[in-house]
Amino acid sequence: MATLLKCYKPLLPFQRPKMHIAAAAVNSFRYYSRSRLRARCLSTIGNSKSTVDIKVVNSEGTETVLRKQQLWLHNTMSKQKELFIPKVPGKVGMYVCGVTAYDLSHIGHARVYVSFDVLYRYLNYLGYEVKYVRNFTDVDDKIIARANELGEDPIILSRRFCEEFHQDMAYLHCLPPSVEPRVSDHMPQIINMIQQILDNGCAYRINGDVYFSVDKFPEYGTLSGRKLEDNRAGERVAVDTRKKHPADFALWKTAKAGEPFWESPWGPGRPGWHIECSAMSAAYLGYTFDIHGGGMDLVFPHHENEIAQSCAACRESNITYWIHNGFVNIDSQKMSKSLGNFFTIRQVIDFYHPLALRLFLIGTHYRSPINYTIVQIESASDRLFYIYQALYDCQILSTQHDEASLKDSIPAETANCINKFQDEVLSSISDDLHTPVALAAMSDPLKLINDLLHTRKGKKQALRMESIAALENAIRNVLAILGLVPASYAEALNELREKALKRAKLTDDQVQQKIVERDTARKNKDYDRSDVIRKDLAAVGIALMDSPEGTTWRPAFPLALEEEQVTAP
């Protein structure tokens, strides 16, 4: 598309790493209508209030103004949306609490890391230099308990599940963070921070244990809004009557028989859960940085305790934006192993394409509760197939045309559609990452693509190929921001078909045989039999598509599920 792409002058390169789609997508386009040049830059679409000017003064006193697209984020600390302005102009420090690696990750984990992956991608897209730190907890009571069950060394077991987590993140197209520290590698930093807290009079020792004294931190409870007298004794630690206050929490635990331990000034032991993140975030981002994130369940006690101990170690400690994603429910019930409705990422992607799971997760605003049901994941899978099929058809048609014959222009209707699409995407994602609106905005350009590809009127439109290429490019760039660009449309479509066959408990040969049976029935004018075959396949999510070239099939929302929804009270 060399000739056509002369119209597009990207500000950021569109890169394709081996395993992940790059966070930075093309963000500046120029479109030509028949009558006049239309120039639109995705990073400055909208009125003058859509950008924010950031003044930068270098060491020589020279002032430079950086103009950035406004981004509003909901801050758990202030309980409202705030304009994002980083501490250091043009740079962002972001820390997201990682998993405790003792088992396969579940779809609640998937929601956390997909949500913050979208934020990471969008910050990169807006031109920020982002240092993204996401930790592994590889020293913890749960890890030790699981290791004892399996007869493994806790550190080795945790390392194995860290690698499983990496594989899950690759499946979901989550970009790797800039730094991924592990607790076991940061004992000196953890011990030093605990010593600072002790030196500052905010902790106390009891027989080799070290506890944080919440009474020494008057601001305790600011993030969660909880009053100190209402607080429980913290999580992941047993109630200890030796503590001065029930809400005091462990910074260091004395060694127990059969458990891993490290030497410290207070004797052999291991760190408490909360101190780990404070020490590792400070090690890589300092005591003041821009964004700290995680699931809503971490607001209290984990993040509340992080704030207390970080400020106790360094009074200048300050994190500007605290961001939390909502819970995942299963069929409107809280996901829980005890209820038997607990799903790992692997269990879901065994039957659905990983990017269908990602599409489902970003189809609800990240702060709202999300309800995982078969209906919802089937809908996401069906939508993903529709998007990829349209874009694949664009690519196939493009290969059949001579690039040199393409014009450097597109019709006004196409330009207007693309510009409206980009406006909606930018405004929605800039408004606290409102991804559902961005996804919905794809409907019009996809409809226009299908009109150009398949309708009689569309096939006769002037500059048809130029319009198709421009529309495909615009949608692909937005998919890149959302982390939904596959390595290959053809490969993704095949994977979606394979998953649909698995859910239907059929093979492709069996479907082809049904197609032959149906063709025979139609030739024999046995239309009742023909309809039964079509309906039986549709019931399990296999839709037959008739054309002059013959009958093919595609995955579809199962008719049986539609009928269940209709009959449900």
Side-chain angles (χ1 to χ4, degrees):
M1 290 296 173
T3 304
L4 177 62
L5 289 179
K6 288 197 300 185
C7 305
Y8 304 83
K9 297 186 178 180
L11 297 179
L12 296 174
F14 184 75
Q15 306 166 18
R16 295 177 185 267
K18 186 175 182 180
M19 292 186 64
H20 298 281
I21 304 301
V26 177
N27 73 338
S28 180
F29 309 96
R30 290 186 179 180
Y31 300 107
Y32 294 80
S33 68
R34 292 179 183 176
S35 58
R36 63 187 179 88
L37 176 67
R38 296 176 59 89
R40 301 298 296 271
C41 174
L42 187 56
S43 61
T44 56
I45 289 175
N47 58 39
S48 60
K49 294 183 179 180
S50 68
T51 59
V52 57
D53 291 344
I54 303 173
K55 293 182 180 180
V56 183
V57 181
N58 63 20
S59 58
E60 299 176 353
T62 303
E63 185 178 281
T64 304
V65 176
L66 298 178
R67 176 158 293 172
K68 296 286 187 184
Q69 169 65 38
Q70 281 190 1
L71 171 62
W72 292 80
L73 297 172
H74 186 274
N75 191 346
T76 306
M77 183 65 77
S78 66
K79 312 297 187 290
Q80 62 185 8
K81 282 191 289 190
E82 296 178 2
L83 178 63
F84 177 71
I85 300 177
K87 293 179 182 295
V88 178
K91 297 184 178 182
V92 177
M94 180 169 75
Y95 185 93
V96 176
C97 290
V99 295
T100 300
Y102 70 99
D103 204 346
L104 292 174
S105 297
H106 52 70
I107 57 176
H109 293 132
R111 191 180 195 198
V112 177
Y113 304 115
V114 166
S115 297
F116 285 97
D117 182 67
V118 171
L119 176 56
Y120 182 36
R121 288 170 178 270
Y122 196 54
L123 289 167
N124 276 310
Y125 170 81
L126 294 179
Y128 290 105
E129 180 185 333
V130 186
K131 188 171 186 179
Y132 175 18
V133 182
R134 185 183 69 208
N135 75 294
F136 276 120
T137 294
D138 62 349
V139 179
D140 184 80
D141 291 342
K142 293 183 178 181
I143 297 170
I144 294 169
R146 177 57 58 84
N148 289 339
E149 288 176 16
L150 301 176
E152 289 189 53
D153 176 87
I155 300 298
I156 294 175
L157 175 137
S158 186
R159 187 176 300 129
R160 173 159 58 87
F161 282 113
C162 287
E163 292 309 311
E164 297 287 2
F165 175 82
H166 282 147
Q167 186 61 62
D168 287 339
M169 293 301 100
Y171 287 141
L172 293 172
H173 278 205
C174 291
L175 297 168
S178 313
V179 187
E180 204 165 22
R182 304 185 188 203
V183 174
S184 60
D185 296 329
H186 292 78
M187 287 301 162
Q189 293 90 337
I190 292 170
I191 290 170
N192 287 340
M193 179 172 279
I194 294 173
Q195 188 61 60
Q196 285 177 260
I197 297 170
L198 280 165
D199 292 344
N200 290 335
C202 295
Y204 55 93
R205 301 166 57 176
I206 303 177
N207 300 327
D209 294 329
V210 181
Y211 283 97
F212 185 88
S213 180
V214 294
D215 286 332
K216 300 294 185 179
F217 188 67
E219 294 85 0
Y220 192 81
T222 304
L223 181 69
S224 62
R226 298 171 66 97
K227 295 180 180 179
L228 188 57
E229 57 268 23
D230 297 333
N231 290 338
R232 63 185 185 273
E235 295 183 356
R236 304 198 188 195
V237 292
V239 175
D240 189 339
T241 57
R242 300 174 303 162
K243 294 192 294 185
K244 295 179 179 179
H245 189 286
D248 291 351
F249 54 90
L251 300 175
W252 188 261
K253 302 178 181 183
T254 190
K256 296 178 182 178
E259 294 184 353
F261 64 86
W262 287 261
E263 293 297 334
S264 79
W266 323 288
R270 56 188 173 89
W273 175 38
H274 311 297
I275 193 67
E276 301 166 356
C277 286
S278 286
M280 289 186 286
S281 63
Y284 293 97
L285 298 173
Y287 279 96
T288 65
F289 56 93
D290 302 297
I291 297 170
H292 196 314
M296 194 70 72
D297 56 315
L298 298 184
V299 174
F300 183 88
H302 187 50
H303 287 166
E304 196 74 77
N305 291 352
E306 274 196 68
I307 293 170
Q309 63 202 6
S310 293
C311 290
C314 175
R315 292 302 300 178
E316 286 71 40
S317 176
N318 178 263
I319 297 165
T320 314
Y321 306 91
W322 288 88
I323 300 175
H324 297 91
N325 64 275
F327 294 115
V328 175
N329 297 322
I330 307 294
D331 292 322
S332 300
Q333 287 186 304
K334 182 179 178 181
M335 186 172 66
S336 168
K337 287 184 178 180
S338 62
L339 295 175
N341 64 353
F342 183 89
F343 294 104
T344 66
I345 295 169
R346 299 289 174 86
Q347 287 173 316
V348 175
I349 67 176
D350 190 32
F351 289 93
Y352 295 92
H353 195 288
L355 294 185
L357 175 56
R358 184 179 178 107
L359 180 64
F360 159 74
L361 292 170
I362 64 176
T364 297
H365 188 257
Y366 79 94
R367 287 194 296 109
S368 300
I370 190 169
N371 191 34
Y372 179 88
T373 66
I374 295 301
V375 168
Q376 296 285 6
I377 191 67
E378 283 282 358
S379 296
S381 182
D382 187 53
R383 182 64 175 173
L384 193 71
F385 188 92
Y386 169 73
I387 294 170
Y388 289 169
Q389 185 66 63
L391 300 181
Y392 174 70
D393 290 344
C394 290
Q395 287 189 341
I396 293 300
L397 189 61
S398 296
T399 61
Q400 300 170 0
H401 287 75
D402 181 11
E403 294 181 8
S405 66
L406 297 177
K407 305 293 190 300
D408 289 343
S409 59
I410 57 175
E413 178 189 4
T414 303
N416 291 336
C417 178
I418 292 173
N419 288 326
K420 179 175 178 288
F421 170 53
Q422 292 180 244
D423 280 347
E424 290 175 352
V425 168
L426 188 66
S427 62
S428 61
I429 300 182
S430 294
D431 182 16
D432 196 29
L433 307 179
H434 218 306
T435 51
V437 177
L439 290 170
M442 289 186 194
S443 295
D444 286 346
L446 285 168
K447 182 181 182 299
L448 182 52
I449 281 176
N450 281 306
D451 286 345
L452 292 166
L453 287 171
H454 305 299
T455 69
R456 183 177 300 177
K457 179 182 177 182
K459 290 178 180 179
K460 292 181 179 180
Q461 187 181 101
L463 300 173
R464 171 177 175 248
M465 286 306 305
E466 288 80 356
S467 289
I468 288 172
L471 287 161
E472 187 273 333
N473 190 64
I475 293 173
R476 175 165 40 85
N477 289 328
V478 171
L479 290 177
I481 295 173
L482 299 176
L484 290 170
V485 178
S488 153
Y489 294 136
E491 181 181 320
L493 290 168
N494 285 334
E495 291 171 354
L496 285 159
R497 290 189 185 94
E498 289 171 1
K499 300 289 187 183
L501 289 170
K502 187 170 186 177
R503 297 194 298 275
K505 299 180 180 179
L506 293 170
T507 66
D508 186 63
D509 287 343
Q510 289 172 324
V511 174
Q512 296 302 330
Q513 181 60 39
K514 290 292 184 182
I515 290 174
V516 172
E517 288 179 21
R518 178 171 173 269
D519 286 344
T520 301
R522 294 169 75 190
K523 288 176 183 177
N524 294 333
K525 298 185 179 180
D526 186 356
Y527 298 117
D528 288 342
R529 175 60 182 159
S530 170
D531 289 344
V532 167
I533 293 171
R534 176 191 281 274
K535 188 172 181 180
D536 285 349
L537 290 173
V540 293
I542 305 296
L544 299 184
M545 315 293 290
D546 296 321
S547 72
E549 291 76 32
T551 301
T552 57
W553 71 272
R554 57 150 288 176
F557 189 91
L559 183 61
L561 281 180
E562 288 186 8
E563 292 173 348
E564 285 180 19
Q565 287 182 289
V566 171
T567 58

